[in-house]
Amino acid sequence: MTNAPRGRRIVVTGATGNVGTSVVRALAKDPSVASVLGLARRRPGLTVPGVEWGTVDLEHGDSPRRLREHLAGADAVIHLAWRFQPTHDPVVTWRSNVEGSLRVFGAVRDAGVPALVHASSVGAYSPGPKQEPGVDEQWPTHGWPDAAYCREKAYLERVLDTFELRNPQIRVVRMRPGFLFKRTAASEQRRIFGGRYLPGVLIRPDLLPFVPDLEGLRFQVLHTDDAAEAYRLAVVNDVRGAFNLAADSVTDARQLGELLEARVVRAPAALVRGALAAAWRTHAVPASPHLFDAVLRLPVMNSDRAREELGWRPAYSAAEALRAFLHGVSRGEGEDTAPLAGRTWG
């Protein structure tokens, strides 16, 4: 009599955020996955069938010990934990994002976990072409050095280069998605980029007089649930390396104008950046002008590898992902987790 193969045990860090809540749901529905443990700084009120919750703060000195306990017996770790703010104090985000990631990577090694799937980003890429078909995964990942988010993502790419060389027994996958949106993450994203005092009800087409058409304003978006499916496929398939993730179309000012029913007006990027910089310096908005600079320089990505090797196909278009965000932000939608708590004002 032979024993039936056991299902996979997967641990997800940053499990209560935009990507994490979609990833744990996708994993819990997979019949080959027997156990999903979602880790976060604060235990959520959210209940997802098949998902257990644990707490760990990656900034704390005892997190390596706690991580090793959580990771014992895991078949894969999906590392999503990331802190976007405070943008005015990059040392804080560095300690959380970079040093916290180093602790996760070390715990994966020490616990003998055979697979690590890391959330990198289009933000890790060096400036590149804005036209299709886009760059593949071999494009340099040095980021835009003036933006903390890009510096941190690029630095971790270099860390993983060394990690892979020193730990060839661990299968390492790097996901590089475009901008990720879904309805229930809209309140969180409004707070991250617009500030907690920007009313969501004001983000609606009839109140937006125009969309600025800026040189370099071409970017790629993806519905978060589509990204989560790619993460699931990376866990259950024997793949390694980097995967670009984006919907089929590239979003520009014209498409934003159509979506928002607003007029498109050509504007100098320096003027918009100056206004954003002034608002950021006075703490009126948390979105930094440095990230604005990066967005205008990020290359368009080619996602053929994910489609061919993972068999991944986005279920939502870029426009559908953006509509979901607009629907959610205008209604203050969210989920019962600390990052995604829904609010329309304050």
Side-chain angles (χ1 to χ4, degrees):
M1 181 177 178
T2 59
N3 292 326
R6 68 178 182 87
R8 296 178 176 88
R9 179 174 185 269
I10 314 300
V11 179
V12 181
T13 72
T16 58
N18 176 19
V19 184
T21 49
S22 288
V23 166
V24 296
R25 286 186 172 104
L27 291 170
K29 294 176 183 177
D30 189 316
S32 73
V33 175
S35 168
V36 179
L37 174 63
L39 299 180
R41 283 189 297 159
R42 292 156 289 189
R43 186 179 297 273
L46 179 69
T47 299
V48 179
V51 177
E52 297 179 347
W53 301 105
T55 58
V56 63
D57 189 338
L58 300 181
E59 295 182 50
H60 284 184
D62 68 341
S63 60
R65 176 186 59 80
R66 293 180 59 81
L67 280 168
R68 287 192 295 271
E69 294 172 355
H70 287 308
L71 270 53
D75 295 287
V77 170
I78 298 178
H79 178 45
L80 305 172
W82 198 264
R83 183 170 180 167
F84 290 92
Q85 294 178 359
T87 57
H88 289 84
D89 192 349
V91 173
V92 173
T93 58
W94 180 273
R95 288 173 177 164
S96 179
N97 299 334
V98 174
E99 295 178 13
S101 293
L102 296 181
R103 294 183 178 112
V104 172
F105 301 161
V108 167
R109 177 199 61 224
D110 295 344
V113 181
L116 167 65
V117 182
H118 169 67
S120 188
S121 167
V122 63
Y125 279 125
S126 302
K130 289 286 189 177
Q131 303 302 319
E132 297 162 286
V135 304
D136 65 14
E137 289 80 2
Q138 300 306 309
W139 192 257
T141 50
H142 303 307
W144 177 247
D146 199 32
Y149 175 84
C150 299
R151 284 197 306 271
E152 293 162 2
K153 290 293 187 184
Y155 184 87
L156 290 174
E157 290 274 355
R158 301 291 74 75
V159 170
L160 287 176
D161 290 343
T162 303
F163 184 87
E164 286 183 295
L165 289 173
R166 293 179 176 174
N167 303 280
Q169 77 282 7
I170 299 176
R171 182 172 64 88
V172 177
V173 180
R174 314 178 198 198
M175 291 302 196
R176 297 176 185 157
F179 297 94
L180 299 175
F181 297 101
K182 68 178 179 182
R183 179 175 50 80
T184 56
S187 291
E188 178 199 30
Q189 291 171 324
R190 172 183 57 80
R191 291 191 294 269
I192 288 174
F193 298 108
R196 64 176 62 249
Y197 297 110
L198 172 66
V201 293
L202 295 183
I203 305 177
R204 65 188 206 218
D206 58 314
L207 295 180
L208 295 174
F210 68 92
V211 172
D213 183 8
L214 310 176
E215 183 178 358
L217 185 62
R218 284 177 59 81
F219 58 95
Q220 290 165 293
V221 304
L222 183 67
H223 196 288
T224 309
D225 290 350
D226 283 330
E229 175 62 7
Y231 277 96
R232 183 192 70 81
L233 290 168
V235 165
V236 303
N237 288 286
D238 187 17
V239 295
R240 293 172 179 256
F243 291 91
N244 293 339
L245 302 175
D248 290 331
S249 64
V250 178
T251 301
D252 57 18
R254 179 187 58 81
Q255 290 169 316
L256 287 174
E258 293 175 356
L259 185 67
L260 296 169
E261 302 174 18
R263 191 163 50 97
V264 176
V265 177
R266 187 70 176 175
L271 180 64
V272 176
R273 189 198 189 280
L276 176 60
W280 179 73
R281 282 194 297 269
T282 60
H283 293 254
V285 297
S288 80
H290 315 295
L291 188 58
F292 172 82
D293 295 337
V295 169
L296 297 185
R297 292 166 172 82
L298 294 177
V300 167
M301 299 183 296
N302 184 312
S303 302
D304 285 350
R305 185 177 187 231
R307 289 166 169 79
E308 293 168 2
E309 296 192 25
L310 293 178
W312 175 72
R313 298 290 184 277
Y316 299 90
S317 68
E320 288 171 330
L322 287 167
R323 286 192 190 99
F325 165 75
L326 291 171
H327 181 277
V329 77
S330 65
R331 291 162 177 78
E333 296 197 32
E335 299 204 50
D336 194 5
T337 74
L340 300 186
R343 286 184 293 182
T344 57
W345 176 259

